Amino acid sequence: MSNEFPHSHLLGVEELSSKDITAILDLSESYISLNRKKDKKKTILKGLTLINLFFENSTRTRTSFELAGKRLGADVINMQVSSSSVQKGETLLDTAATLNAMHPDFITVRHPDSGAVNLLAKKVNCSIINAGDGSHEHPTQALLDALTIRRRLGKIRGLTIAICGDIMHSRVARSNITLLKTMGAKIRIIAPPTLMPACPEILGADECFYNMSEGLKNVDVVMMLRLQQERMSGTYIPSEKEYFHFYGLDKSKLSNAKKNALIMHPGPMNRGIEIDSELADDINRSVILEQVEYGVAVRQAILELLAERIKND
Ligand code: NCD
């Protein structure tokens, strides 16, 4: 198994090969079935400790890591650290050293600073899983998004996927572009000029659009993003009303995509700003709740693969 997944941490999708990604997605499939059963318990993490260390708010990610760990038999501890009380740098490393002294086996970390999770991984001797660092990476989100797409459309290779909204501040966009490109998809990014990075080509997308209707032409998947207000200093959009008019997903813009194109959003979503409520709730097109469901399975798969290495050490 350690040959199948040759990593001690999950810091980003950048370090994952298509073989690694396929191994994670394949294993996740078995957890989707398990999670739909009455008895969801396994004991493969028995005796191991998982700490969820969150310096930013989270509903989906933290809960699903907690469920994933508990369903596999680990002891799980949640630490919600208020970001305002964090003295950046030193405090993060002090926290890491403190937790490390308690011999956890995994720490999942969410932090507002890009790169903080990689730094922490150098200071501890357990497996670190990135649960989102600033605008940098959110690997488990990209994995669960890939799983959702693969299950619904049967493949990833050859699909055209549009990622729309606050590209500039989004770790979901960065991780998805890298992962979906590795798996052979064609990626378009769509954003207002103020929310598009100055050099969009460095993100690795195939095409970049400022007009949403043009960008959505014939796409297989429409992935919407939340406006990351907490990462903005100053005003990036004239008004929420105008943003929805030009960049919110509504029926008229969606009509440019393929007839059965999937609608995705990592959540939490701002209805009527990023996405029309009716589309978000459209049970035939929107896969937003499937993304949440598969998020637990993907995190179980990651924990299992990392645990194999812990046991073999
Ligand atoms: C994303 C995140 O935190 O980056 N949410 C999530 O993990 N479900 C997206 C977001 O907050 O916009």
Side-chain angles (χ1 to χ4, degrees):
M1 192 69 87
S2 51
N3 281 341
E4 200 180 311
F5 193 70
H7 304 279
S8 309
H9 306 286
L10 179 65
L11 302 178
V13 295
E14 205 135 25
E15 69 209 36
L16 299 180
S17 65
S18 62
K19 188 166 170 254
D20 296 335
I21 295 165
T22 303
I24 298 167
L25 301 189
D26 289 349
L27 185 57
S28 305
E29 294 281 356
S30 66
Y31 282 114
I32 294 175
S33 316
L34 180 72
N35 290 336
R36 289 178 179 176
K37 291 192 176 139
K38 267 221 171 78
D39 181 1
K40 303 168 180 61
K41 276 284 209 186
K42 280 183 91 173
T43 54
I44 55 171
L45 299 189
K46 190 162 178 286
L48 301 183
T49 303
L50 161 68
I51 299 180
N52 287 321
L53 178 61
F54 278 60
F55 294 88
E56 269 189 3
N57 293 335
S58 169
T59 310
R60 277 147 277 262
T61 307
R62 199 199 47 67
T63 316
S64 63
F65 269 116
E66 182 175 354
L67 275 178
K70 286 183 170 166
R71 286 181 182 169
L72 298 184
D75 292 314
V76 183
I77 284 145
N78 294 315
M79 284 189 60
Q80 177 73 45
V81 191
S82 140
S83 26
S84 59
S85 71
V86 170
Q87 308 278 301
K88 286 181 190 147
E90 198 180 28
T91 305
L92 173 69
L93 298 184
D94 274 350
T95 310
T98 305
L99 295 177
N100 196 44
M102 299 181 199
H103 301 292
D105 301 286
F106 313 93
I107 306 180
T108 69
V109 191
R110 170 167 287 192
H111 198 280
D113 294 343
S114 306
V117 180
N118 296 56
L119 177 64
L120 202 137
K122 295 197 179 107
K123 304 286 172 188
V124 295
N125 37 31
C126 64
S127 281
I128 296 289
I129 302 169
N130 187 352
D133 65 322
S135 305
H136 179 221
E137 278 250 29
H138 193 353
T140 54
Q141 179 69 43
L143 286 160
L144 73 89
D145 289 337
L147 183 62
T148 309
I149 295 169
R150 197 180 79 164
R151 280 177 67 86
R152 272 286 185 136
L153 302 179
K155 60 175 187 176
I156 296 173
R157 181 163 300 282
L159 296 178
T160 304
I161 298 171
I163 306 180
C164 322
D166 185 358
I167 301 285
M168 168 111 84
H169 302 101
S170 174
R171 54 195 177 208
V172 175
R174 277 169 188 69
S175 288
N176 262 302
I177 294 169
T178 308
L179 186 147
L180 294 167
K181 287 290 298 173
T182 303
M183 298 309 281
K186 203 170 157 231
I187 305 297
R188 295 184 187 170
I189 49 176
I190 306 172
T194 49
L195 293 173
M196 187 70 91
C199 303
E201 55 283 358
I202 62 165
L203 297 182
D206 298 282
E207 287 176 283
C208 156
F209 292 86
Y210 298 102
N211 180 300
M212 190 154 166
S213 295
E214 269 175 39
L216 291 185
K217 283 214 174 92
N218 275 325
V219 299
D220 298 282
V221 177
V222 184
M223 187 182 287
M224 300 305 299
L225 300 171
R226 184 176 64 85
L227 281 169
Q228 308 278 297
Q229 306 275 12
E230 71 276 27
R231 298 187 216 293
M232 297 179 191
S233 51
T235 311
Y236 283 75
I237 55 167
S239 71
E240 289 176 346
K241 199 166 165 216
E242 187 169 324
Y243 183 80
F244 181 69
H245 179 73
F246 287 107
Y247 293 98
L249 187 66
D250 57 15
K251 271 196 181 143
S252 142
K253 296 185 201 84
L254 183 66
S255 67
N256 293 285
K258 282 199 182 143
K259 206 165 139 274
N260 294 319
L262 301 183
I263 300 171
M264 304 180 76
H265 193 300
M269 60 184 153
N270 294 301
R271 290 168 182 263
I273 300 171
E274 294 138 15
I275 184 164
D276 180 73
S277 228
E278 214 182 301
L279 292 181
D281 297 332
D282 180 339
I283 52 166
N284 297 315
R285 315 274 310 258
S286 164
V287 293
I288 294 170
L289 292 178
E290 280 168 47
Q291 291 173 267
V292 178
E293 178 185 359
Y294 303 158
V296 180
V298 155
R299 288 163 182 129
Q300 284 167 303
I302 295 293
L303 289 171
E304 177 177 339
L305 292 168
L306 291 174
E308 286 298 327
R309 285 186 70 85
I310 295 171
K311 285 176 194 161
N312 292 335
D313 271 352

